[in-house]
Amino acid sequence: MARPKQTIVRGEVIRVRFTSTERRILKSYAERYGITVSSFIRAKALDHTLNARLNPEEIIFLRALIGMANNINTITRKVHIGDHYQMELSEVLSEINTQIKKLR
C-alpha cells in the first residue's frame, strides 16, 4: 500500500549542523515522542506541544484504570435501579486512589 500524500508540501530546506552527541540526543527525544528527528526539530522550533508516548508500564496502568471505570459505571447503574453495591463501590474507589498515588 502506498504512503498517503501529505496535504502540506514542505519545499523549503534549512540546513543545521549538530555534533554527533546532539544528534543522538535529538534522535532519542524524537523516538520518545514517536516522530522523526525532522518533525521533532520542526515542532520545537515552532513551539508546538508534543505528547510523549506511554511506556509499557503506563499502558498497563491505563488499562487497569479503564477497567475500574467500567466497574464503577456498572455499579452506578445497578445502584440507580435499586441494587445496592456500596461495599463493592468503596473497594473500587479505594483501588483507584491507590493506583493514582502510584502513578504520581
Side-chain angles (χ1 to χ4, degrees), residues 68-98:
M68 289 178 207
N70 290 336
N71 289 342
I72 289 174
N73 287 335
T74 302
I75 294 167
T76 303
R77 275 193 304 266
K78 290 186 178 196
V79 167
H80 285 293
I81 62 172
D83 294 340
H84 296 287
Y85 290 94
Q86 291 179 353
M87 190 65 165
E88 187 177 342
L89 180 58
S90 64
E91 290 173 11
V92 171
L93 290 174
S94 174
E95 180 64 24
I96 289 172
N97 286 332
T98 303

Side-chain angles (χ1 to χ4, degrees), residues 24 26-37 40 53:
R24 280 194 305 270
L26 287 171
K27 185 176 180 183
S28 70
Y29 284 148
E31 287 173 353
R32 185 181 308 162
Y33 291 101
I35 58 178
T36 63
V37 173
F40 177 79
R53 287 187 169 182

Side-chain angles (χ1 to χ4, degrees), residues 15-32:
R15 291 193 166 94
V16 180
R17 293 183 184 265
F18 294 102
T19 65
S20 60
T21 303
E22 291 170 333
R23 183 177 174 96
R24 280 194 305 270
I25 292 169
L26 287 171
K27 185 176 180 183
S28 70
Y29 284 148
E31 287 173 353
R32 185 181 308 162

Side-chain angles (χ1 to χ4, degrees), residues 33-71:
Y33 291 101
I35 58 178
T36 63
V37 173
S38 296
S39 294
F40 177 79
I41 293 170
R42 183 182 307 108
K44 286 299 189 176
L46 298 175
D47 201 27
H48 293 171
T49 302
L50 295 172
N51 296 320
R53 287 187 169 182
L54 298 176
N55 64 37
E57 181 181 326
E58 291 170 331
I59 291 170
I60 291 169
F61 176 75
L62 184 60
R63 286 183 181 156
L65 280 179
I66 290 169
M68 289 178 207
N70 290 336
N71 289 342

Side-chain angles (χ1 to χ4, degrees), residues 61 96-104:
F61 176 75
I96 289 172
N97 286 332
T98 303
Q99 293 296 331
I100 289 172
K101 287 177 184 175
K102 284 183 187 177
L103 185 61
R104 291 180 185 170

